Amino acid sequence: MTIQEFYAVTSSNYDEALKRLMRPDFVKRFALKYLTDTSFAELTSNLESDNTEVAFRAAHTMKGVCKNLAFTKLANSASEITELLRAGNLAAAKDYYPIVKEDHEMVIDALSIVE
């Protein structure tokens, strides 16, 4: 899969990423770095341990990374859970988490086959 195909299948915005990063090789390089980003794992573990503050920071970090990379669908779900956690609504964030997880897994699965 090409990086452009990755952006298409994940409801992301390649043109926005290219505008921000200015070179196709940079888009690919930085998109692939998401495979090693730990913010989703931190969000997961801190939701499980009811640590709203640290879960918020992890969600906020993930939202920022995804917005910068123009991973539109994942950025939107990360933004939603960030706002739930900002408001201190841990129960609602836990209810919303499966959507974030699904979007994250879609990105990871697609990135893992980018050539």
Side-chain angles (χ1 to χ4, degrees):
M1 172 183 305
T2 68
I3 194 68
Q4 291 90 343
E5 290 168 333
F6 158 80
Y7 272 85
V9 301
T10 60
S11 301
S12 298
N13 189 328
Y14 178 78
D15 292 335
E16 186 179 324
L18 183 59
K19 188 172 158 184
R20 185 170 287 121
L21 297 171
M22 302 197 293
R23 289 181 29 190
D25 59 316
F26 285 176
V27 173
K28 182 177 178 180
R29 181 184 317 159
F30 286 104
L32 289 171
K33 283 185 179 257
Y34 186 75
L35 291 169
T36 61
D37 184 83
T38 61
S39 56
F40 178 77
E42 291 171 17
L43 170 64
T44 301
S45 66
N46 284 287
L47 284 176
E48 289 170 353
S49 64
D50 295 335
N51 190 333
T52 305
E53 183 180 326
V54 179
F56 164 76
R57 285 197 307 263
H60 191 269
T61 298
M62 187 168 73
K63 174 186 82 168
V65 168
C66 292
K67 283 188 179 276
N68 283 329
L69 293 170
F71 294 171
T72 309
K73 187 173 184 181
L74 180 54
N76 289 341
S77 60
S79 181
E80 181 65 31
I81 201 166
T82 297
E83 294 311 312
L84 292 169
L85 291 164
R86 183 189 312 272
N89 195 339
L90 183 62
K94 285 182 173 186
D95 288 343
Y96 190 79
Y97 173 79
I99 295 169
V100 178
K101 182 178 180 185
E102 180 180 318
D103 293 346
H104 169 78
E105 288 174 351
M106 175 184 59
V107 166
I108 294 297
D109 290 347
L111 278 175
S112 69
I113 59 172
V114 168
E115 299 171 346

